[in-house]
Amino acid sequence: MENKKKLVVAVTGLNNTDNPGPGIPVIRAIRESSGLDVKVVGLVYETLEPGIYLRDLVDKVYMLPYPSEGSEAVLDRLSYIHHREHIDLLIPNFDAELYTFIKSEKVLHEMGIRTFLPTLEQLEERHKGNLDAFGEKYDLLVPESMPLLYENDIRKIDEKFEYPVMVKGKFYDAYIAYNEEQVLSHFNKISAKWGLPVIVQEFIRGTEVNVVALGDGQGNTVGAVPMRKQYITDKGKAWGGITLDNPDMLELTHRIIRATRWRGGMELELMRTDDDQYYILEINPRIPAWVYLAVGAGQNLPEALVKLAMGMEVEPFTSYETGKIFVRYSWDMIIDMKDFEKISTKGEI
Amino acid sequence: MKIRKNIAVSDTGFVFDPSTGESFTVNETGQEILNLLKKEKSYDEIATAITMRYDIDRSGFEKYYQDFIEMLNHYHLIDYEG
């Protein structure tokens, strides 16, 4: 029997809520690996992240300070956790924490913790606020956008755009607005939650489609699976989706990864117009929460990411099953007060 | 005119477009017409096959056929290039 490689992998994003983080599907995927024997350390920010209590998937859980408390606080805490758990690899799954972890990559490596993340340049240039320049640099179709730094900027929107427009937070949240009043309301809500700038984007009519992909950092696409959301929550999250056989989407993905030499997981959010053009709405610099669909369709991308990070050989995926569907569901877990008490008072469980 | 090559039509009348992920259901007659279109049969051949099998004359069939084709067109299931 093949000897499985023993690893300790720390994962964030255990918030399997109606706005789900990718942590649990990532863990589920690497647990299914035939070549890896993984101990999973969950890193959480809130005491009610459901993944904390999924004890058959997560071996140990630690609270982390929010990235807004500064990288020193995060690294101090990680150092304590590492001392106890000997983490081999860290897979962060939130956009908002990526900056901290990418900036700390060297320190983490010195501690003995590997990551497999995009570079700071890659992270910055695909940022929603920089999407125009990104499109121009790589000759890609992107909706026009403008950053809103002040409330007064809202008046300038109709100089550049026709309503409706999309109003987006720099990390999360996107709303459609049909007039200035609606933009203002979204601006206030989004800026309070995610800070500035708030981004206004041209509204592109069409069907939203997505791709989950993994780049090796050398310009090669290790795997990519396109999907269309079939059931969307009021937060715009996929609650059901289906894999597509779409060479245009795959070609676009390969092009982006080749041009940017992308390293790590990626989600492309695309809008397909009626005349079959693909606009890039967003490039999310991490694995998306629906990644388990790709696993079910034949591409275990989280496992491949772990192997790449650990310097193991990974053969690029060349196929996947079309027409595979995921349907998400909610499930009420019954938790013992003692577990909640432990994570709340000791910050670990 | 023919149905796009990658469109799958099952025995139960379930039609799946793998490039968009859209799926549809058609009744027995629709399924027969789809399969004839997939085999690249001409309008005349399709009209003959259907009018022989069902209680409908040619002019009646033509109206339904045009409606059906319009719907296939609307859902981008027809291949005009191939």
Side-chain angles (χ1 to χ4, degrees):
Chain A
M1 209 169 82
E2 189 189 354
N3 267 345
K4 287 187 170 191
K5 186 169 175 63
K6 281 188 187 291
L7 288 175
V8 179
V9 180
V11 180
T12 69
L14 306 197
N15 53 325
N16 252 39
T17 61
D18 61 339
N19 186 6
I24 292 300
V26 164
I27 293 167
R28 197 175 163 201
I30 55 182
R31 283 237 182 263
E32 285 179 16
S33 165
S34 56
L36 304 173
D37 178 9
V38 175
K39 175 179 182 184
V40 174
V41 176
L43 304 176
V44 300
Y45 297 99
E46 302 276 347
T47 51
L48 280 176
E49 290 186 33
I52 299 169
Y53 307 100
L54 288 166
R55 307 316 304 271
D56 49 344
L57 286 173
V58 186
D59 298 296
K60 188 87 195 180
V61 181
Y62 292 88
M63 296 283 290
L64 269 192
Y66 278 104
S68 55
E69 288 181 36
S71 51
E72 211 172 303
V74 176
L75 288 174
D76 277 354
R77 179 67 175 157
L78 263 180
S79 168
Y80 164 81
I81 299 166
H82 183 52
H83 183 71
R84 303 186 57 164
E85 303 294 341
H86 309 288
I87 299 165
D88 293 299
L89 170 67
L90 167 66
I91 307 178
N93 287 303
F94 285 119
D95 293 9
E97 66 190 5
L98 283 182
Y99 184 81
T100 301
F101 288 126
I102 291 172
K103 279 214 92 163
S104 311
E105 197 172 13
K106 200 165 164 250
V107 182
L108 290 170
H109 279 214
E110 280 165 9
M111 283 162 68
I113 303 175
R114 295 190 192 208
T115 55
F116 199 71
L117 298 170
T119 63
L120 208 50
E121 293 71 32
Q122 289 169 342
L123 182 78
E124 289 293 342
E125 72 172 358
R126 56 86 248 167
H127 201 281
K128 273 175 239 184
N130 302 331
L131 206 55
D132 278 357
F134 185 85
E136 204 170 313
K137 182 174 174 188
Y138 296 112
D139 192 23
L140 300 163
L141 275 177
V142 297
E144 281 196 57
S145 60
M146 71 180 267
L148 300 178
L149 281 164
Y150 307 99
E151 218 177 284
N152 278 347
D153 292 343
I154 294 172
R155 283 195 222 130
K156 297 177 198 155
I157 291 174
D158 60 5
E159 291 169 15
K160 194 170 173 185
F161 300 100
E162 274 182 38
Y163 281 98
V165 293
M166 294 304 294
V167 187
K168 297 185 164 187
K170 60 179 175 180
F171 295 123
Y172 298 102
D173 286 346
Y175 302 98
I176 189 166
Y178 290 88
N179 51 46
E180 278 186 21
E181 289 71 34
Q182 289 181 0
V183 175
L184 177 63
S185 148
H186 297 320
F187 176 85
N188 288 332
K189 208 168 10 180
I190 292 171
S191 57
K193 201 165 165 192
W194 300 115
L196 293 166
V198 169
I199 291 116
V200 168
Q201 215 175 55
E202 176 190 4
F203 180 78
I204 306 286
R205 271 168 226 286
T207 307
E208 194 191 319
V209 283
N210 306 69
V211 184
V212 54
L214 176 64
D216 70 353
Q218 308 296 321
N220 303 306
T221 302
V222 178
V225 178
M227 175 278 276
R228 183 176 68 86
K229 295 175 185 175
Q230 289 183 302
Y231 192 115
I232 302 174
T233 68
D234 55 3
K235 288 201 168 96
K237 303 297 162 192
W239 207 255
I242 184 165
T243 56
L244 306 177
D245 172 16
N246 191 310
D248 292 340
M249 289 169 71
L250 288 178
E251 203 274 323
L252 180 61
T253 308
H254 284 254
R255 223 175 102 201
I256 292 170
I257 289 181
R258 199 182 312 124
T260 59
R261 300 173 75 81
W262 189 266
R263 184 176 59 186
M266 167 196 276
E267 180 193 26
L268 286 179
E269 292 186 8
L270 308 169
M271 191 63 87
R272 185 183 56 228
T273 60
D274 274 351
D275 55 348
D276 274 341
Q277 299 225 297
Y278 289 88
Y279 279 80
I280 297 166
L281 301 183
E282 279 179 33
I283 298 177
N284 293 319
R286 47 155 178 85
I287 290 171
W290 56 272
V291 66
Y292 197 77
L293 175 65
V295 181
Q299 294 196 6
N300 193 334
L301 298 177
E303 178 194 22
L305 183 146
V306 171
K307 288 182 171 171
L308 283 171
M310 299 313 296
M312 296 162 76
E313 206 165 304
V314 177
E315 279 295 314
F317 293 100
T318 52
S319 65
Y320 57 88
E321 256 186 272
T322 303
K324 277 278 174 191
I325 295 173
F326 83 92
V327 181
R328 212 165 259 165
Y329 66 103
S330 61
W331 177 267
D332 300 342
M333 287 186 283
I334 304 301
I335 309 301
D336 202 276
M337 177 60 101
K338 277 206 165 4
D339 287 345
F340 182 65
E341 184 189 321
K342 258 190 222 161
I343 193 78
S344 303
T345 57
K346 294 187 174 157
E348 58 190 83
I349 180 169
Chain B
M1 180 176 49
K2 59 182 180 191
I3 296 297
R4 278 182 24 227
K5 231 184 221 157
N6 58 350
I7 302 294
V9 185
S10 79
D11 297 346
T12 55
F14 185 79
V15 181
F16 176 58
D17 179 350
S19 61
T20 64
E22 298 281 0
S23 57
F24 316 89
T25 49
V26 290
N27 63 15
E28 197 184 324
T29 329
Q31 195 184 336
E32 272 182 59
I33 297 173
L34 273 180
N35 283 327
L36 291 166
L37 284 168
K38 277 203 93 144
K39 288 178 191 156
E40 298 184 38
K41 299 289 181 194
S42 67
Y43 168 71
D44 268 345
E45 288 171 305
I46 296 171
T48 305
I50 299 294
T51 50
M52 274 175 68
R53 214 166 124 78
Y54 296 95
D55 184 18
I56 189 167
D57 62 22
R58 236 176 141 92
S59 65
F61 170 72
E62 182 164 5
K63 186 186 166 306
Y64 286 119
Y65 181 78
Q66 290 310 333
D67 284 350
F68 187 61
I69 295 299
E70 219 164 279
M71 206 182 298
L72 297 180
N73 203 17
H74 176 75
Y75 291 116
H76 304 286
L77 300 177
I78 291 175
D79 182 0
Y80 287 103
E81 287 170 14

